[in-house]
Structures are given as structure tokens and as C-alpha cells.
Amino acid sequence: MKRISVKIITGLMVFLGVFMTGCGNPIAIGSEDAKGLDDTKKIGVQINDNVNGMFITMTDEKNPVLLFISGGPGVPEVWLNEAYSDVYPNKIADYFTVCYWDYYGEGLSYDSDIDPDEITVERLAYDAHAVAEYLKKEFNKEKIYLMGHSSGSNLGIYLAQTNSEDFYCYFGMGQVYLGKDSVRRYEEGYYFMKALFEQNGDNKALRKMNKLINISDDGEFSVKKPSTIGKDWEKILLIAGCGTTREMRSDVTDIFFKQMGCKCYTVKEKINFWRGKTLLGKTPYSDYSVDSDIPAVIPVCFLSGYYDYTTPITLSKELYEKLEAPEKSFYTFYNSAHSPLWEENELVLEAMSEHVRK
């Protein structure tokens, strides 16, 4: 969506505000109640010459503020709170005021004129700083908290390695780490899911998975078609209960149709939601890989599902061991796959609360 609708007078105020304060200064330009979501505002903010959309959920203004960066890349996640409110009730707003930020190019912040080459981890980090400045000022906080999920954890850990000014602590859920070998994601998942399929007697799924990989006589693992394995591998993850959640079995019915049925995005915004996903897949950011040799400058806390092989928990643990940080913690959630914040909400919130300044 290029711009969230506001009245003409609001637009005039925005123009004057930008003229007077400079384009880099974040300015709210529109706000409305988010349909389908309790205690949530849908907001447009002028950030670094572009409108960024965000959903802010608040139940108590005294709560600490959390900036949430979704995965994909280019797949905002606030709609999960609406579509799965009965199955996975998310009570995070009882603990934090949460800003679900649709960063440059995705969701509410999609624009057909955006050049994908503009979207780098450095650009998004620059924008994230501006968002944090806006949130600190809006809610009168010295610093805020940061959470990255899935591919959003690439930006999250980059911020944790470079920004101590805005954030108290970083929470990485489904933390991405591939090291220097992208094939390791498939290798780690293969052996875990092979054991599951054998235990469950699911020979059909095992045969499907074996068609995607090669194991040489000396045990060397490789992928048959690296350029096309993504969609086929996702199907295997869903069969094994190692995808977005333990229960989801189809990205079409459990993700696409569920998102399209939500009220928090308008019809046009829903279309832009998926256009943004396509856009982000063409960007330098989509190829960014975490550098474990760069120490974090703030405390880090990893939150991983035992069954998460979308971003393998084994590799998240490897990053945790390598990464230097002022403080670090690792939590495993044994009834979760890729989304423990929704799958085991209360346990995740208990863990996060241990790292909030009193």
C-alpha cells in the first residue's frame, strides 16, 4: 500500500511537519482502530522519506515497548493474532506494548515503485532506528525491546550487533543461522525428520523426502536441485509438523486463505501483502547471512521450538554458542515448531519477562 488514507488536513500537517523537522524525523500521519484485532491501532508513520505502516497493540501504557520484526522475508505476522485467536491466543499485549512493523516494501509499506535493490539489511536497520526513535518518543521510553522472527531475525541480530542506543535486549525466535553452507538447513532437517517418519511408520513421506536429496557412499549430504528445492522442502516440513506450527499442514489453507480472510488488512492491502513478499524475495536483504564473528552489543535471548526445522534449532544453538554478547540465554519449547510465541504463548512470555528491566 503506497499510503494509508488520511484527511486532507492531516496531509497538510504532514507536509508542514516534514518541512519543519526534516525528512528523517519520524512523524505519525494517520491512525485508526485495526479491525479484527483488540486494543490495536493501525498507523502510518513518515520514516526516512517513506510511509511505514505498523500495528501497535497496547493494553497498559506502563508496559515496556517491543518492536516486532516479522519473517518471510516480506510476510508480516500481526494477522496471526486475528486468524488464530482461538487456536493460538497471544497474550503478549499483557506484557508489552507491541509494534508490529511492516518494514519498507512489505505489507502496509509496499509500494510498486520500490526498487528491490534498495532493500538491504543496512537500509532496514536505518529505518528500524527511526521506528525505535518514534516509539521511544511516543511512549516516553528510554529504550525499547526488540524481537525478530524467522528471516526477521536476520535484521534483528544485525541490530543487536550494531545498536545499543535503542534496545535493552534482543529476542530471536526461530533464529536464522546458516554459517557458510546453506545446504546445512536441509541436512539438519533431513536427519531429524527421517527419524520422525521412521518412528511414525510414514514411509510415503520418507520416500518424498529422499527424492530431494543425495547421500553418497561415504555419507556426504547434498541437495539434488538447490534452485528449486524450497517449495518441495516446505511440503516435507508441513507433513512432519516442523513448519510454521506443529499443526499446520498447508501453506495455502493455513496461511494464504487465513490471511486473506482477516479484517486487519483491507482487500487492497492484502493484495499488496503478497506483492510485498514477491518484492522482498528479489532484494539483497533476502540473501543476507548472519555473521557470527561480530559480537552483540546488547543481551540476546533465543527462543526456539524443538520441532523447528524451518530455521533448524540445531543451527540456532550453534549461533548461540559462537556469538559473543553481554548476556545470552537459550530457551527450547518442546511442543513448538517455528512459532513458539503462538504455540506455547504463556511459556514464551514467562521466558521473555525474565529479561525485562524492573
Side-chain angles (χ1 to χ4, degrees):
M1 179 179 181
K2 188 171 183 179
R3 186 172 294 273
I4 297 175
S5 297
V6 291
K7 295 180 180 180
I8 295 176
I9 187 66
T10 307
L12 179 59
M13 291 171 64
V14 172
F15 173 78
L16 292 174
V18 171
F19 178 78
M20 294 172 63
T21 62
C23 293
N25 194 15
I27 305 167
I29 62 172
S31 176
E32 60 185 67
D33 290 335
K35 295 180 180 178
L37 294 168
D38 294 334
D39 305 309
T40 301
K41 292 289 186 181
K42 188 178 187 180
I43 296 173
V45 179
Q46 185 83 17
I47 291 174
N48 298 329
D49 299 329
N50 295 280
V51 176
N52 279 218
M54 57 189 71
F55 294 84
I56 297 181
T57 301
M58 182 178 72
T59 59
D60 187 339
E61 62 183 12
K62 295 179 182 179
N63 282 343
V65 175
L66 176 76
L67 174 59
F68 184 94
I69 304 173
S70 297
V75 182
E77 297 174 52
V78 68
W79 65 272
L80 290 168
N81 294 340
E82 178 184 347
Y84 286 98
S85 59
D86 294 334
V87 182
Y88 305 118
N90 187 357
K91 300 178 181 177
I92 193 170
D94 292 340
Y95 296 75
F96 296 91
T97 292
V98 186
C99 172
Y100 297 91
W101 172 40
D102 288 11
Y103 56 73
Y104 188 53
E106 72 167 6
L108 298 176
S109 305
Y110 174 80
D111 188 321
S112 60
D113 292 333
I114 293 174
D115 180 351
D117 289 337
E118 295 179 54
I119 305 181
T120 64
V121 69
E122 293 84 4
R123 162 61 192 265
L124 295 181
Y126 183 65
D127 288 354
H129 169 70
V131 173
E133 286 295 319
Y134 167 76
L135 294 171
K136 290 190 295 182
K137 182 177 179 181
E138 183 73 11
F139 297 102
N140 192 29
K141 305 294 184 182
E142 181 180 354
K143 293 186 180 183
I144 64 174
Y145 293 84
L146 175 67
M147 187 174 205
H149 182 210
S150 194
S151 69
S153 70
N154 280 321
L155 176 56
I157 203 71
Y158 181 88
L159 289 166
Q161 291 170 321
T162 57
N163 188 328
S164 61
E165 178 182 346
D166 295 321
F167 307 111
Y168 286 121
C169 175
Y170 166 64
F171 300 102
M173 178 171 59
Q175 178 65 51
V176 176
Y177 181 63
L178 297 176
K180 298 180 180 179
D181 185 359
S182 61
V183 174
R184 293 191 61 204
R185 176 200 177 199
Y186 303 107
E187 184 173 9
E188 296 292 326
Y190 173 79
Y191 288 110
F192 183 82
M193 292 188 289
K194 179 176 182 287
L196 280 182
F197 292 146
E198 289 176 344
Q199 180 181 341
N200 297 333
D202 194 341
N203 294 322
K204 182 179 179 181
L206 186 57
R207 287 194 298 271
K208 285 184 177 180
M209 185 169 65
N210 283 332
K211 289 180 180 179
L212 303 176
I213 60 97
N214 280 315
I215 299 179
S216 65
D217 292 340
D218 60 0
E220 183 177 352
F221 180 95
S222 63
V223 172
K224 288 183 178 178
K225 298 179 180 180
S227 63
T228 61
I229 191 175
K231 291 183 178 179
D232 291 330
W233 195 255
E234 176 68 13
K235 293 175 184 177
I236 302 300
L237 291 169
L238 290 165
I239 293 170
C242 297
T244 302
T245 72
R246 293 279 289 133
E247 290 77 18
M248 287 186 183
R249 293 294 179 266
S250 168
D251 282 343
V252 175
T253 58
D254 297 334
I255 299 292
F256 179 75
F257 285 137
K258 286 284 191 180
Q259 191 275 339
M260 291 298 287
C262 285
K263 299 176 182 177
C264 58
Y265 288 97
T266 66
V267 173
K268 183 178 180 181
E269 290 165 358
K270 291 172 187 175
I271 294 171
N272 284 343
F273 183 105
W274 296 107
R275 293 174 76 187
K277 181 181 185 299
T278 300
L279 171 69
L280 263 294
K282 302 174 183 177
T283 65
Y285 175 60
S286 69
D287 295 325
Y288 177 76
S289 183
V290 172
D291 188 343
S292 60
D293 292 332
I294 301 175
V297 293
I298 58 174
V300 297
C301 173
F302 288 175
L303 309 161
S304 290
Y306 177 77
Y307 292 92
D308 185 0
Y309 281 85
T310 298
T311 54
I313 182 175
T314 49
L315 297 181
S316 299
K317 286 181 177 178
E318 185 176 314
L319 174 61
Y320 172 79
E321 294 297 332
K322 291 181 177 181
L323 186 69
E324 293 183 14
E327 298 175 19
K328 57 182 184 178
S329 304
F330 195 103
Y331 295 87
T332 301
F333 299 91
Y334 289 94
N335 292 309
S336 294
H338 191 47
S339 307
L341 177 62
W342 286 272
E343 297 176 89
E344 295 183 80
N345 183 248
E346 291 186 3
L347 289 178
V348 170
L349 294 175
E350 286 178 12
M352 293 175 69
S353 296
E354 294 177 6
H355 302 275
V356 173
R357 296 197 172 197
K358 305 302 182 184

